[in-house]
Amino acid sequence: MKVMVTGGAGFIGSHFAKRLATAGDSVVVLDKLTYAGNPRNLEGYDIPLVVGDIADPEAVAQAAAGCDAIVNFAAESHVDRSILAAGDFITTDVYGTHVLLEHARAHGQRYVQVSTDEVYGDLPPGESAVEGDPLMPSSPYSASKAGGDLQVLAYVRTHGVNASISRGANTYGPFQYPEKLISLFTTNALDGQPLPVYGDGRQRREWIHAEDHCAGIELVLRQGEPGGIYNVGGEERENLDVIEQILALTGASRDLLKHVADRAGHDRRYSIDSTRLRGLGWAPKWKFADGIAQTVAWYAERRDWWEPIKSGEYLAYYREQYAHRLEP
Ligand code: NAD
Ligand code: TYD
């Protein structure tokens, strides 16, 4: 199968592009190379990279020519950035999805939308979202992802596009841009920098290793039903538990931990039921304790990967996001 992987120079998309290439599929990556895109994530693999925007029909036509399928990872993906400015989230996550769907429709291509458990919104203790649940997004990020999902379902119903949706949990692993909880706190801990815990740190997320997330998306690509939605869940942990593990694995001092002003609209808990995907034969291979140890070890070894990132635009973002929280 020939597959266009959009956002394939980002964190999860690069794991997926490399996975398919290893499986013998022909892969082309379309990626705009925003701050989060990094061609080095594809190093060692012979995967063509078309630099372009999913919201640009010409770039999409160029990269998708001859492809049997499109798997859309391209997105603005960070909640905190969507709180600072949401425009790019609408352009990419909503309008970009529309452009890709138009292409899939015109060329009869299979389509997979890589979505997130955040579209279900905040889940009360003891409840897990199933695929038919209503969408209750809290952040501009999750609202834009929900907008993408709804378009996909409309294109299945109205235009008969052969599309499915995966909704993955919080993902961790090597090659994650150092702005999300595990990648940021690990690199900060390795550098002896503060770990800014939002609010009480008792929020809960499900954590899945990127390889397990990609295994789920691959199954959805190959076996998912048109209009089918598939949750890809992980192991539930309180943020403070995750942070404890990062401290233990890096040997960093507990003094680095700083409780800071909470994120606006912060969801307390995500939880999803993955029974449907398990029914296709999916099961995660990584236990969280092993996966986080592997990930922290990777960041400890690969300063050559993340140190250059933590400069320039990154520092400007970091100041805007954290300076007022961390400085007295
Ligand atoms: P990421 O931010 O690491 O990478 C996103 C990639 O998309 C980058 O390479 C970027 O350059 C590219 N991109 C952004 N805008 C683009 C555009 N307009 N045209 C083409 N390329 C563009 O993101 P990630 O963490 O790898 O997430 C990938 C997908 O998985 C996203 O759709 C996200 O919503 C979803 N997801 C992520 C998580 C998570 O925990 N990271 C969990 C569930 C779902
Ligand atoms: P994040 O990795 O941004 O993923 P999401 O918000 O999409 O779930 O955040 C995971 C959790 O960690 C979330 O509850 C917010 C919290 N968090 C902090 O406490 N401090 C931080 O600096 C960041 C980035 C996240």
Side-chain angles (χ1 to χ4, degrees):
M1 179 156 55
K2 185 169 181 195
V3 183
M4 175 167 80
V5 178
T6 65
F11 166 46
I12 311 173
S14 64
H15 279 273
F16 188 77
K18 291 184 278 192
R19 179 185 182 90
L20 284 198
T22 303
D25 292 294
S26 172
V27 179
V28 58
V29 164
L30 173 64
D31 197 296
K32 190 179 171 183
L33 299 183
T34 68
Y35 76 91
N38 186 348
R40 289 190 67 198
N41 295 354
L42 296 167
E43 254 168 24
Y45 288 76
D46 189 16
I47 297 174
L49 166 64
V50 177
V51 179
D53 191 333
I54 60 164
D56 172 4
E58 282 178 21
V60 170
Q62 185 199 335
C67 288
D68 307 296
I70 297 172
V71 183
N72 180 28
F73 290 85
E76 288 295 332
S77 70
H78 190 35
V79 172
D80 289 327
R81 289 185 190 252
S82 80
I83 295 169
L84 294 174
D88 288 349
F89 290 74
I90 308 297
T91 312
T92 291
D93 304 12
V94 184
Y95 185 70
T97 298
H98 156 76
V99 172
L100 294 173
L101 285 167
E102 276 295 315
H103 194 277
R105 171 193 173 194
H107 296 84
Q109 289 157 319
R110 169 100 177 107
Y111 183 90
V112 175
Q113 176 77 352
V114 178
S115 186
T116 164
D117 62 357
E118 303 194 22
V119 297
Y120 299 116
D122 222 339
L123 267 277
E127 286 185 23
S128 293
V130 293
E131 287 84 349
D133 281 356
L135 305 187
M136 301 279 283
S138 306
S139 70
Y141 161 66
S142 52
S144 68
K145 292 297 291 184
D149 286 16
L150 292 176
Q151 288 187 84
V152 173
L153 296 176
Y155 269 64
V156 173
R157 167 114 184 203
T158 303
H159 296 303
V161 171
N162 178 7
S164 308
I165 297 172
S166 66
R167 292 190 179 140
N170 283 61
T171 307
Y172 68 94
F175 299 102
Q176 184 169 33
Y177 188 89
E179 67 185 351
K180 307 231 169 66
L181 179 68
I182 289 180
S183 50
L184 174 66
F185 278 33
T186 298
T187 52
N188 277 12
L190 290 168
D191 266 353
Q193 294 296 314
L195 310 180
V197 181
Y198 294 157
D200 62 6
R202 308 289 303 271
Q203 304 85 2
R204 302 177 75 85
R205 298 288 185 266
E206 280 191 30
W207 293 98
I208 183 171
H209 193 286
E211 290 170 7
D212 287 327
H213 190 166
C214 289
I217 296 166
E218 184 183 355
L219 262 186
V220 173
L221 169 66
R222 299 195 197 281
Q223 296 180 36
E225 289 176 9
I229 303 171
Y230 300 85
N231 290 341
V232 192
E235 286 181 47
E236 185 174 338
R237 291 284 183 285
E238 189 175 275
N239 288 351
L240 286 176
D241 289 345
V242 173
I243 295 162
E244 282 298 332
Q245 297 207 37
I246 293 172
L247 286 176
L249 289 162
T250 56
S253 161
R254 181 170 306 278
D255 296 344
L256 295 179
L257 210 148
K258 307 273 182 243
H259 286 269
V260 299
D262 206 349
R263 170 188 281 172
H266 198 168
D267 286 328
R268 293 294 291 181
R269 178 172 178 266
Y270 298 135
S271 178
I272 46 177
D273 181 327
S274 307
T275 305
R276 182 177 286 172
L277 187 64
R278 286 179 184 273
L280 296 183
W282 176 81
K285 292 203 163 67
W286 284 97
K287 291 206 178 335
F288 182 69
D290 300 331
I292 192 159
Q294 178 250 11
T295 300
V296 171
W298 186 87
Y299 280 97
E301 277 165 26
R302 293 300 308 272
R303 282 179 174 272
D304 69 293
W305 184 85
W306 58 267
E307 278 180 347
I309 293 173
K310 286 193 153 189
S311 65
E313 193 277 346
Y314 180 90
L315 294 180
Y317 163 73
Y318 198 82
R319 263 194 305 279
E320 185 174 10
Q321 185 61 36
Y322 294 105
H324 65 285
R325 289 184 152 102
L326 288 167
E327 284 160 13

